[in-house]
Amino acid sequence: MSNIKDIIIIGAGPAGLTAAYELLKNSKEYRVTILEDTDEIGGISRTVNYKGNRMDIGGHRFFSKSEKIMNWWTSLLPIQGAASKDDFMLNRGKNLSVGGPDPEVQDRVMLLRDRVSRIYYLRKFYEYPISLKLQTFFNMGIIKTARAGCSYMYSSVFKRKEQSLEDFMVNRFGSALYRMFFENYTQKVWGIHPSKISAEWGAQRIKGLSLCKILIDLFKKPFRIKSDVKQKEVETSLIEQFIYPKYGPGQLWETVADEIKRMGGEILTDCRVIDINMNDTIVTSVSYIHNNRKYSMDCDTLLSSMPIRDLIGGMSGAQIPENVTKIAAGLPYRDFITVGLLVNRLNLKNETKIKTIGNIVPDCWIYIQEPDVKVGRLQIFNNWSPYMVNDFENKVWIGLEYFCNEGDELWNTDDTDFISFAAEELQKIGMINKSDIIDAVRVKVKKAYPAYFGTYEDFDKVREFLDGFDNLYCIGRNGQHRYNNMDHSMLTAMEAVDNILNHRKDKTNIWSVNTEEQYHEKKTV
């Protein structure tokens, strides 16, 4: 009788792929199968290849305060040991890895990239996070600068009780800066005012960031070695350099998928899970649809990165309390649309001291704070990696990001009309001329962002119910309904695998990823 145990993993995103890789690498006791709903690998961290021009869905800087994650990434895609094409052309020095791969010759490589992200507000650029440089004050003007300073000092003394995301942000930046740089953008992203979003979102995403933190970083900056990608004790939003796969984030996850298959794992795509079959406190099997046919697969353990709402809705054979069903059904999500535009040029002037090919602006992404358009963020893929763009010396490949709800007006607009609408918005705020557009594509992503409103305030009851199933582990962004970064999703998978290998039933460590204050506050080495 075989002692091999069957593990099913739902979802081939960062969490699911990490879990499969770690299980197969560290044990021979398990037969691992991944069931993926789509025909894509990598989830929202995938790379979309459109006629040789590659799009990073959502933008993924490969930087983590976890040494374990950094080492994991670079073990699969080593850091470059020779100049990339744009670095060579610009005579741009980097702290190259001795013996590392040459990106001009080899594909399996991480590039060292400089982080540049700015805010575009009232047709002017502001650094992100907001800096205290002279240009910032010049752009804001005397009156707005005075208001910002006074409101920050006031918020430093008279703290709000943090019941909402608005309270959280005002406490850290003051009401004036909050209204200028956070309020409208946050509402654009979530479709709801920050005063109605849980403060826990801030704790997940920007807990370690404040105007005080920016001041401290400004003081330390001259003494920091810029080329050190590790950048000890620096907030993620303040890092100056990160690593990045030659062909975007999807390249890493496609590499991981190949390794999983090499080690004997199976990845089944276009498999929509419809039933999670239970027996008392045990998951016994999973049913799914593939090519319009229903299949069932037994399992000893299930790791789920599918949305909690769908997980609870698909359970059969278990007594689900009515309040748990109601809470899970009411968990909100935000969906996502990217429009890729290939253009001859941008209208934006590069007024920085950073050299770029074609003298385009150096930003990886730009936060669009303009209240008269719906576009939320702009990516410039040339600056992520020169290898993402077919003709990066002469063309600019950009991504316009929109946040919406599945089924709303933005989501339901057909591709041609939506692309035209997006192009008009970018022309309206002075970034491009529509006549410079060469080609375009639209990509839609469901449930990209789990949201912190609706029934989320009672989510602990859902978690408690799910933790009652001994062989069920919830991992990843949607699997935990938590707005995790990629590295956090990976860490939840690693913690789950560690529990499985060591036969631990307590799942507190899995849910604790990205909640510890130390993780938010600094990176230790």
Side-chain angles (χ1 to χ4, degrees):
M1 188 173 181
S2 173
N3 292 321
I4 299 295
K5 296 179 179 178
D6 289 300
I7 291 186
I8 293 177
I9 300 172
I10 301 176
L17 291 168
T18 300
Y21 181 89
E22 289 294 302
L23 281 164
L24 293 167
K25 183 180 177 183
N26 292 291
S27 177
K28 303 295 183 185
E29 298 180 22
Y30 303 99
R31 183 165 38 238
V32 178
T33 303
I34 297 178
L35 299 176
E36 167 57 36
D37 185 28
T38 72
D39 61 355
E40 304 279 356
I41 296 295
I44 197 173
S45 299
R46 70 184 186 271
T47 301
V48 174
N49 189 340
Y50 178 70
K51 300 179 182 178
N53 294 303
R54 292 174 167 83
M55 300 171 62
D56 179 344
I57 304 297
H60 293 83
R61 292 192 299 259
F62 282 69
F63 172 82
S64 178
K65 295 178 182 180
S66 166
E67 287 293 321
K68 184 176 183 179
I69 295 295
M70 293 293 289
N71 292 335
W72 200 93
W73 285 334
T74 55
S75 69
L76 289 156
L77 299 180
I79 295 176
Q80 68 184 90
S84 61
K85 190 168 185 178
D86 56 345
D87 288 338
F88 177 79
M89 293 173 65
L90 295 166
N91 194 26
R92 190 164 55 191
K94 293 285 178 64
N95 188 23
L96 302 173
S97 177
V98 177
D102 181 349
E104 283 291 281
V105 178
Q106 296 162 277
D107 288 339
R108 199 159 169 169
V109 55
M110 285 282 193
L111 306 180
L112 290 163
R113 309 303 291 177
D114 293 330
R115 172 203 168 275
V116 182
S117 298
R118 291 183 293 174
I119 295 168
Y120 194 66
Y121 175 64
L122 300 181
R123 295 4 181 212
K124 294 178 182 178
F125 277 111
Y126 295 83
E127 287 194 0
Y128 178 82
I130 292 299
S131 71
L132 301 179
K133 293 180 179 178
L134 186 62
Q135 185 64 42
T136 303
F137 302 135
F138 180 78
N139 285 351
M140 288 172 61
I142 295 174
I143 295 176
K144 287 182 180 178
T145 299
R147 285 176 180 168
C150 291
S151 69
Y152 174 68
M153 287 187 286
Y154 182 87
S155 68
S156 298
V157 177
F158 301 101
K159 294 290 185 184
R160 293 187 178 192
K161 183 179 180 181
E162 293 186 356
Q163 297 178 317
S164 70
L165 182 58
E166 179 175 78
D167 299 328
F168 182 95
M169 289 177 168
V170 169
N171 280 347
R172 284 155 182 79
F173 297 95
S175 59
L177 286 177
Y178 158 72
R179 301 205 184 283
M180 286 176 64
F181 297 115
F182 295 98
E183 185 178 27
N184 288 337
Y185 182 79
T186 303
Q187 185 157 3
K188 193 181 291 188
V189 172
W190 295 106
I192 189 171
H193 193 268
S195 62
K196 304 196 181 297
I197 299 174
S198 169
E200 189 173 336
W201 185 92
Q204 291 294 125
R205 301 296 292 187
I206 55 174
K207 183 173 184 177
L209 188 63
S210 65
L211 199 56
C212 180
K213 181 70 72 174
I214 292 169
L215 281 166
I216 294 171
D217 186 74
L218 186 67
F219 175 77
K220 289 182 176 181
K221 189 173 182 179
F223 308 102
R224 190 186 307 134
I225 301 173
K226 182 177 180 181
S227 60
D228 181 8
V229 76
K230 294 181 180 179
Q231 298 172 88
K232 295 177 279 187
E233 300 187 8
V234 179
E235 289 307 316
T236 303
S237 295
L238 299 174
I239 63 167
E240 295 181 16
Q241 194 175 82
F242 59 94
I243 55 177
Y244 193 74
K246 178 177 177 178
Y247 293 122
Q251 182 189 4
L252 173 81
W253 298 114
E254 289 157 13
T255 300
V256 174
D258 289 340
E259 289 296 309
I260 289 168
K261 294 171 185 175
R262 183 185 62 79
M263 290 187 288
E266 191 171 16
I267 302 175
L268 304 179
T269 57
D270 288 314
C271 294
R272 180 169 57 88
V273 172
I274 55 171
D275 288 314
I276 295 89
N277 304 302
M278 326 290 292
N279 182 6
D280 196 16
T281 60
I282 298 294
V283 180
T284 57
S285 65
V286 172
S287 299
Y288 61 93
I289 299 291
H290 177 68
N291 288 338
N292 296 318
R293 291 185 60 186
K294 183 177 179 179
Y295 298 86
S296 185
M297 184 180 294
D298 293 338
C299 66
D300 296 290
T301 301
L302 175 66
L303 288 90
S304 173
S305 66
M306 72 189 297
I308 293 275
R309 189 165 71 187
D310 298 337
L311 176 67
I312 297 291
M315 286 183 167
S316 58
Q319 293 296 320
I320 306 176
E322 185 177 347
N323 68 326
V324 170
T325 300
K326 184 176 180 180
I327 295 165
L331 290 173
Y333 300 85
R334 196 69 165 148
D335 305 293
F336 183 78
I337 298 172
T338 292
V339 173
L341 294 180
L342 184 66
V343 298
N344 285 311
R345 65 186 184 91
L346 299 176
N347 288 345
L348 302 170
K349 292 182 179 180
N350 182 13
E351 296 177 342
T352 72
K353 296 179 180 179
I354 303 171
K355 295 180 179 179
T356 60
I357 301 298
N359 202 33
I360 64 173
V361 289
D363 306 76
C364 297
W365 63 50
I366 299 169
Y367 295 93
I368 310 294
Q369 302 280 22
E370 306 292 19
D372 55 340
V373 292
K374 293 184 178 180
V375 60
R377 200 167 62 176
L378 175 76
Q379 288 199 67
I380 304 175
F381 299 114
N382 301 55
N383 295 329
W384 285 101
S385 166
Y387 307 101
M388 298 272 281
V389 188
N390 242 344
D391 184 9
F392 88 101
E393 295 182 50
N394 302 299
K395 302 293 185 290
V396 187
W397 177 231
I398 58 178
L400 290 71
E401 300 180 353
Y402 289 84
F403 311 96
C404 60
N405 293 324
E406 183 182 354
D408 68 11
E409 183 180 0
L410 289 179
W411 186 268
N412 286 337
T413 301
D414 70 53
D415 288 349
T416 301
D417 289 343
F418 193 94
I419 289 169
S420 178
F421 159 74
E424 287 171 3
E425 285 211 319
L426 220 56
Q427 179 171 271
K428 180 180 181 180
I429 58 177
M431 289 189 162
I432 66 165
N433 293 325
K434 288 183 68 176
S435 58
D436 281 318
I437 297 174
I438 302 165
D439 203 353
V441 66
R442 181 195 190 195
V443 177
K444 299 197 288 187
V445 181
K446 296 180 182 179
K447 295 184 175 66
Y449 305 116
Y452 288 58
F453 48 90
T455 57
Y456 178 77
E457 63 180 356
D458 295 318
F459 181 73
D460 59 321
K461 297 179 178 62
V462 176
R463 172 188 160 180
E464 182 181 0
F465 170 73
L466 292 171
D467 281 351
F469 296 94
D470 293 342
N471 64 339
L472 171 63
Y473 299 86
C474 295
I475 58 175
R477 177 180 281 193
N478 279 334
Q480 293 193 331
H481 201 86
R482 181 174 290 160
Y483 193 178
N484 283 331
N485 283 329
M486 179 169 56
D487 60 333
H488 302 137
S489 293
M490 294 172 63
L491 285 167
T492 64
M494 291 176 177
E495 291 292 335
V497 169
D498 191 57
N499 283 9
I500 292 168
L501 296 179
N502 291 285
H503 308 290
R504 286 197 299 263
K505 292 186 177 181
D506 183 12
K507 298 164 187 171
T508 304
N509 59 319
I510 306 171
W511 292 99
S512 295
V513 170
N514 195 24
T515 60
E516 309 92 333
E517 185 158 341
Q518 180 182 7
Y519 187 91
H520 285 283
E521 291 301 327
K522 65 181 182 178
K523 172 187 174 184
T524 56
V525 293

